[in-house]
Amino acid sequence: MSTLTGKTALVTGASRGIGRAAALALAKAGAQVLVHYGNAQKEADAVVKEITDAGGRAQTIAADLGKPNGPHDLARQVRDIVGGRLDILVANAGISRSGPIEEMTIEDFDQLFAVNVRAPYFLVQQLLPNLCEGSSIIFTSSLAARASVGSLAAYAATKGAIDTLVTHFAAALGERGIRVNAVAPGVVETDMSSFAKSEAGRDYTLGMQALKRIAQPDDIAGPIVFLASDDARWITGDTVSVDGGSKL
Ligand code: NAD
C-alpha cells in the first residue's frame, strides 16, 4: 500500500511547475488529487490524464485566486467533490514580480499579496470544516523570505507573510490534529523562474548553492509528499528549506 492511499489532496496552481510535480507525486503516493488551475485548463487536463493513465485518481478544479472570492469559490467546489474530509492541502499557486523598489506599482504589489497571501489565508479558512485530525497543510514559501536574492522585495514580503501564517496556523490548528508547514524552495527551473534559464542567472544560482545544479520541480515535490505523509506526523509550524543549501 502506498503512503497516501485513501487520502484526498488539493494542489493549487497544479497545471505546471512545482504544483504539477506535487500533484503527480501525491498521486503516485496513492492520493486522489484535485488539480486546481486558474486559466490553463488544457495543461491541467494533461496532468489529470497523466495521473489517471498511471492508474491514479484525479480531476481538475478551476478558480481565479486573484479574486477576493476565489478561495471561497474553490473551497465550495472542493466540498462538492470530497464531501466531508480533505486530508492534504498544498497551497502552491503564486506569482512573482521582480524589479527595483522604485518600479513597483501599487497594482502589482496588491496583486502579489492577493494571490500569494490573501488566497492561501482564506482558502484555509474556508476549508476548515473539511480539514480533520491528521490533515496536513503545506504552503509554498521561498528562500527569498530569509535572504536577499534578486530584486524581489515585495514578492519576498509575501513569502515572509506565509512563514508567519505557518507559525500561527500551526499553533491554532494543532488542537484539532491539523499540521501546518511550508516548503521554501530556492531557485527552481519553472516558468516563474526564467532567470534560471539565462547564463547569468544560472551562474548566480550555482554560486549561491552548496549543491551545484539547478533545481527541478520534482526536487520540491518529494519533500511536499513527505510533509503530507504520516512520516511527518510530529512536524508542524515549520518552514523547510528545499534549496540545495542556498546562501549558507
Ligand atoms: P509557475 O508560474 O510555474 O506556477 C504557478 C502556478 O500558480 C501556475 O499553475 C499558475 O496558473 C498558478 N496561479 C498563479 N496565479 C493564479 C491565480 N490568480 N489563480 C489561480 N492560479 C494561479 O511557478 P512555480 O515556480 O511552479 O511556483 C509555484 C510556487 O512556488 C509559487 O508559490 C512560487 O512563489 C513558489 N516558489 C517558486 C520558486 C521558483 O524558483 N520557481 C522559488 C521559490 C518559491
Side-chain angles (χ1 to χ4, degrees):
M1 193 156 96
S2 305
T3 47
L4 300 180
T5 299
K7 308 230 181 229
T8 305
L10 166 66
V11 183
T12 67
S15 59
R16 65 176 195 226
I18 294 167
R20 173 180 180 278
L24 294 173
L26 289 163
K28 199 171 167 195
Q32 175 192 355
V33 182
L34 306 182
V35 175
H36 161 264
Y37 67 95
N39 49 29
Q41 184 174 358
K42 251 173 63 184
E43 288 86 345
D45 284 343
V47 176
V48 166
K49 185 170 183 316
E50 198 169 331
I51 292 172
T52 52
D53 283 356
R57 288 204 298 157
Q59 66 188 89
T60 57
I61 186 164
D64 182 352
L65 295 177
K67 294 200 170 134
N69 66 348
H72 305 66
D73 177 27
L74 177 55
R76 235 184 341 266
Q77 296 182 67
V78 169
R79 259 189 292 283
D80 286 347
I81 297 168
V82 303
R85 183 184 170 95
L86 181 70
D87 301 289
I88 300 157
L89 166 60
V90 182
N92 160 81
I95 54 172
S96 166
R97 298 274 181 278
S98 69
I101 296 168
E102 295 86 337
E103 287 176 17
M104 175 58 64
T105 65
I106 289 170
E107 290 73 22
D108 279 354
F109 187 95
D110 284 350
Q111 192 62 15
L112 277 168
F113 273 82
V115 176
N116 293 4
V117 184
R118 186 180 69 195
Y121 183 104
F122 284 99
L123 188 56
V124 171
Q125 181 203 67
Q126 292 301 305
L127 286 170
L128 278 179
N130 306 94
L131 295 161
C132 309
E133 173 80 34
S135 289
S136 173
I137 299 170
I138 299 143
F139 290 108
T140 314
S141 178
S142 171
L143 165 69
R146 72 165 175 86
S148 163
V149 278
S151 303
L152 290 167
Y155 168 79
T158 68
K159 297 303 184 178
I162 286 298
D163 291 353
T164 302
L165 288 183
V166 165
T167 306
H168 287 260
F169 279 3
L173 301 179
E175 216 168 316
R176 290 180 51 193
I178 300 168
R179 295 182 297 108
V180 186
N181 294 289
V183 288
V187 174
V188 185
E189 194 170 337
T190 66
D191 285 8
M192 178 181 285
S193 205
S194 50
F195 174 72
K197 290 168 193 144
S198 72
E199 206 180 315
R202 205 184 143 75
D203 288 349
Y204 177 86
T205 302
L206 297 182
M208 75 170 175
Q209 288 178 188
L211 300 178
K212 301 299 180 190
R213 68 171 173 81
I214 302 292
Q216 300 301 309
D218 259 353
D219 293 317
I220 316 304
I224 289 174
V225 172
F226 166 67
L227 287 172
S229 77
D230 196 46
D231 287 342
R233 61 190 168 276
W234 204 235
I235 302 176
T236 194
D238 200 24
T239 294
V240 179
S241 294
V242 189
D243 61 12
S246 292
K247 292 266 184 184
L248 295 178

